[in-house]
Amino acid sequence: MKRELFWFGVVGVSAMLVHLGSVALIMVPLGLSPLLANVLGFLLAFQVSHAGHHRLTFQAASTPVSRSRRRFFGVALVSFAVNELMYWALLHFTNLDYRLALAIVLVLVAAMTFFLARNWAFAAESAR
């Protein structure tokens, strides 16, 4: 599990850098709106995230790539929606500083993402 958590962090940071870099350094300067660029950046970062988690984090060689890609995309979409909802709720219903609220959300959503990815998206058929 320590190895998985290490690679989960490395792959996650790599995907975040692809997302941020593609939006801030390429797409917006070329004239795309930030919101559209963010969606495209998410889609690019998802490719890095899926490949890294499939090969490194969960070493899911026995899991079909097409199945894990579909499932992990669902996990990524749910994670983003939960992130937004939790952040909104903490900002509107607590007196927490926005930075602390975001840190709480990011930790909780990362834990949820790890659990769903490990136990569903990248799980071998026999592991279910």
Side-chain angles (χ1 to χ4, degrees), residues 18-38:
V18 167
H19 190 150
L20 180 63
S22 64
V23 169
L25 300 175
I26 300 169
M27 291 184 233
V28 171
L30 289 177
L32 285 179
S33 75
L35 289 176
L36 176 58
N38 189 46

Side-chain angles (χ1 to χ4, degrees), residues 57-79:
T57 306
F58 303 111
Q59 296 181 341
S62 64
T63 304
V65 172
S66 61
R67 189 188 81 195
S68 69
R69 184 180 311 277
R70 282 191 311 275
R71 287 183 176 188
F72 189 61
F73 190 71
V75 168
L77 290 176
V78 167
S79 295

Side-chain angles (χ1 to χ4, degrees), residues 31-63:
L32 285 179
S33 75
L35 289 176
L36 176 58
N38 189 46
V39 171
L40 296 175
F42 167 80
L43 294 172
L44 283 173
F46 172 78
Q47 302 306 317
V48 171
S49 186
H50 177 265
H53 290 318
H54 192 272
R55 291 185 182 109
L56 300 170
T57 306
F58 303 111
Q59 296 181 341
S62 64
T63 304

Side-chain angles (χ1 to χ4, degrees), residues 13 16-17 24-25 31-32 41-43 47 58 64-65 71 80 89-91 107 109 111 122 124:
V13 168
M16 180 205 59
L17 291 173
L25 300 175
L32 285 179
F42 167 80
L43 294 172
Q47 302 306 317
F58 303 111
V65 172
R71 287 183 176 188
F80 180 74
L90 287 176
L91 292 175
V107 168
V109 170
F122 295 100

